Amino acid sequence: MQIVDQSGKNTLPIGVFDSGIGGLTVARELMRQLPDENIIYFGDTARLPYGSKSRDNIIRFSRQIIRFLVSKQAKAIVIACNTASALALDVVKQEFDVPIVGVIVPGARAAVRESVNHRIGVVGTESTIRSQAYTKAIRSMESDAVVIGKACPLFVPLVEEGFAKHNVTGEIIDYYLRDFVESQIDTMILGCTHYPLLRSRIREYLGDRVQIVNPAYEAAMDVKAILEKEQSVNDSGNLARYEFYVSDAAEKFKQFANSILPYDVETIRKINIDEY
Ligand code: DGL
């Protein structure tokens, strides 16, 4: 997408990426909170899952994707992937001129605000949990917080395979979240962009006493603040345009996108991300 703006960068798109469809939950929130902004989304479906990959590879993938989004003139980038936010954000922020927002700090901030007893659970990929990124972010805001993390690697394929409502998903939720039932957490961060697609199942399992936090809303608010600060809010009055790219299996991605987003996506383009 080449959006030419005579007056500056305001109509240029926000670039959003994730390892797959999960980041659409963040894109959906950006569409709700910033309805005038154009968005370019990239899902790295050829290299998913990110959650079990090494830090070096996640940094390499993130650099390539940011280069692609910058080539599309993104005025800001949202790393809508907790794993890439946890492992690559600090590095890529130093390397690119464009503002880059991750989802960990916004998610931690929302959880600290919600929690009354300062006992916070975090579910995420193996890499995100191992990195302790949420624990560090939460403790920097609330030093006495108790953070209990749990990697739930099977949640991503369940979502990618469309098993959100399936019985087997209930058993896997029980397997992973059983320890939280006695843990007295009052807040649970969905620290992987795929997990909001299991939100109602997780809520049902944990009960009303646990607030579920999806970092997407808070991340959208951070993007809004950055655009305002940079004076790059899209105030053209034009209808927002959305474009979607993947590194593999565009048709499958399209079906999911259409079940997650509030409108039907017509075109998903497959690109070779290794060229970037
Ligand atoms: N959706 C990504 C995240 O938020 C990870 C899923 C994956 O393992 O690729 O961490």
Side-chain angles (χ1 to χ4, degrees):
M1 173 162 50
Q2 297 286 327
I3 302 169
V4 181
D5 178 9
Q6 310 305 334
S7 60
K9 60 183 176 181
N10 300 35
T11 57
L12 297 177
I14 298 169
V16 181
F17 75 90
D18 182 48
S19 57
I21 58 162
L24 290 172
T25 59
V26 177
R28 179 174 65 183
E29 201 57 43
L30 287 166
M31 291 169 186
R32 282 187 192 135
Q33 305 306 329
L34 306 169
D36 298 326
E37 297 299 334
N38 297 310
I39 292 176
I40 294 192
Y41 184 93
F42 178 79
D44 199 359
T45 45
R47 302 189 289 201
L48 173 134
Y50 276 15
S52 51
K53 304 275 182 331
S54 68
R55 180 167 187 264
D56 284 355
N57 271 325
I58 299 298
I59 292 172
R60 183 166 64 84
F61 298 165
S62 300
R63 279 189 186 124
Q64 286 179 321
I65 298 166
I66 293 169
R67 283 198 284 265
F68 164 69
L69 294 170
V70 167
S71 79
K72 294 286 177 189
Q73 297 189 293
K75 63 182 174 184
I77 308 274
V78 182
I79 305 187
C81 173
N82 289 262
T83 310
S85 298
L87 303 184
L89 177 65
D90 288 351
V91 175
V92 293
K93 259 185 132 163
Q94 308 295 324
E95 297 177 348
F96 293 88
D97 281 341
V98 63
I100 305 177
V101 174
V103 286
I104 304 267
V105 169
R109 197 190 311 128
V112 166
R113 202 174 49 224
E114 289 292 328
S115 178
V116 175
N117 71 2
H118 303 166
R119 295 180 69 83
I120 298 171
V122 185
V123 282
T125 65
E126 284 164 340
S127 301
T128 300
I129 298 302
R130 202 178 323 113
S131 74
Q132 302 253 339
Y134 271 108
T135 308
K136 289 175 200 155
I138 291 168
R139 293 249 178 84
S140 73
M141 298 169 199
E142 187 75 69
S143 56
D144 67 344
V146 174
V147 184
I148 304 170
K150 177 86 182 172
C152 306
L154 290 174
F155 283 178
V156 170
L158 284 172
V159 168
E160 291 277 335
E161 292 305 321
F163 270 45
K165 297 199 171 99
H166 201 286
N167 283 349
V168 78
T169 301
E171 285 177 37
I172 291 170
I173 288 174
D174 176 50
Y175 175 78
Y176 284 136
L177 304 191
R178 200 176 299 156
D179 293 347
F180 285 109
V181 175
E182 299 292 317
S183 68
Q184 295 179 348
I185 58 160
D186 69 354
T187 305
M188 170 68 94
I189 302 176
L190 302 182
C192 172
T193 50
H194 285 68
Y195 300 1
L197 300 167
L198 301 175
R199 184 188 182 117
S200 58
R201 304 291 303 268
I202 294 173
R203 171 180 291 285
E204 197 184 332
Y205 184 81
L206 292 175
D208 290 345
R209 279 179 305 170
V210 179
Q211 296 292 324
I212 309 270
V213 168
N214 170 4
Y217 171 79
E218 204 69 16
M221 290 298 110
D222 279 14
V223 177
K224 188 170 184 215
I226 285 174
L227 298 186
E228 282 166 2
K229 184 167 156 256
E230 304 258 314
Q231 299 189 329
S232 59
V233 170
N234 187 359
D235 50 10
S236 66
N238 298 335
L239 206 60
R241 286 198 281 163
Y242 305 132
E243 288 208 5
F244 299 87
Y245 295 83
V246 289
S247 47
D248 202 2
E251 208 35 56
K252 186 175 173 202
F253 184 92
K254 186 170 157 181
Q255 285 167 18
F256 273 112
N258 289 342
S259 68
I260 293 167
L261 296 175
Y263 76 102
D264 270 358
V265 177
E266 277 163 26
T267 313
I268 312 273
R269 295 184 176 86
K270 184 177 157 212
I271 58 154
N272 181 1
I273 195 66
D274 278 324
E275 286 174 1
Y276 291 87

